[in-house]
Amino acid sequence: MLPSPNIWYYPAAYELENRSQDVGGEIWRVLREEFDWAGRDVLDVGCGDGFHLPRFAESARSVLGVEPHLPLLRRAERRVAGVPGVEVRRGAAQRLPAPDASVDLVHARTAYFFGPGCEPGLREAERVLRPGGALVIVDLDVSSEPYGGWMRADLPDYDPPRVERFFADAGFRCRKVETRWRFDDRASVESVLKIEFSAQVADQAIADVLRLNGFPGRVVEPLTLPVGYRVHIREKPTGLVRLDHSSSSSSESTSPRMP
């Protein structure tokens, strides 16, 4: 299990980040278009402190959050206490605590599935999905500016086209989604960007956000930031097929620092 350097150590700032992201709901709109989970069973891989679980629970039949890090698991349990149909279990993407063919949607958002090296998790998702179900992976678009540029500065070995090829070879289609983050004030911007990037890159990112919002003149609040995402989707066939994705496998794994 690899530590997540943002939410593991700065859960309060990460909560602020979650609340600042995708204020227009574009990711949720695309998820609904690709696979409507109303009345179905959802599994959220790497659910962290459970931020997205109540949203799924609004219409799903059941929601299972899976998280390997015990302090985050406890926070998730507190968040969903009293929410009908929601359960949280400790587990990892490589060994999901769910029976075969028991869920309709496996969702992962900026957790584990970062390209080559995540094959064990892909196999596990396929195992727990019912025929006709879907695996949906939401990831930051490292080719989208300005956020992608800051990520590439911190992760010079991360290769966005290679990651895209990996998912395409594994049978996924991809939708790129443009979102907007919104922060109430400069302090919120600094709090979030400082847990996502190295000190030097964070300073540049903060300066860029201020410039986008009117600095050095009058900075308009709330401050906004365009951020691109990739939504990878793969359905599980309802018939018998032979899947062979060995050509895309790799022993290398690069996990970018992502929210």
Side-chain angles (χ1 to χ4, degrees), residues 11 53 141 223 236:
L53 301 182
D141 184 355
L223 295 88
K236 184 171 182 176

Side-chain angles (χ1 to χ4, degrees), residues 209-224:
V209 172
L210 291 175
R211 185 164 50 253
L212 286 169
N213 287 272
F215 187 84
R218 178 174 176 269
V219 176
V220 178
E221 294 180 346
L223 295 88
T224 61

Side-chain angles (χ1 to χ4, degrees), residues 7 25 34 40 46-47 62 71 85 93 102 132 158 160 163 171 218 242 258:
I7 191 172
E34 294 295 337
R40 300 185 179 185
C47 70
S62 72
S102 59
Y158 187 73
V163 173
R218 178 174 176 269
R242 178 182 176 86
M258 296 183 175

Side-chain angles (χ1 to χ4, degrees), residues 144-159:
S144 176
E145 302 297 341
Y147 201 98
W150 306 330
M151 291 183 64
R152 296 194 305 274
D154 261 348
L155 300 161
D157 294 329
Y158 187 73
D159 186 349

Side-chain angles (χ1 to χ4, degrees), residues 20 26 40 53 64 69 92 109 132 141 166 174 209 212 216 238:
S20 301
E26 284 301 298
R40 300 185 179 185
L53 301 182
L64 171 61
H69 188 48
R109 191 172 304 204
D141 184 355
F166 170 85
C174 178
V209 172
L212 286 169
T238 56

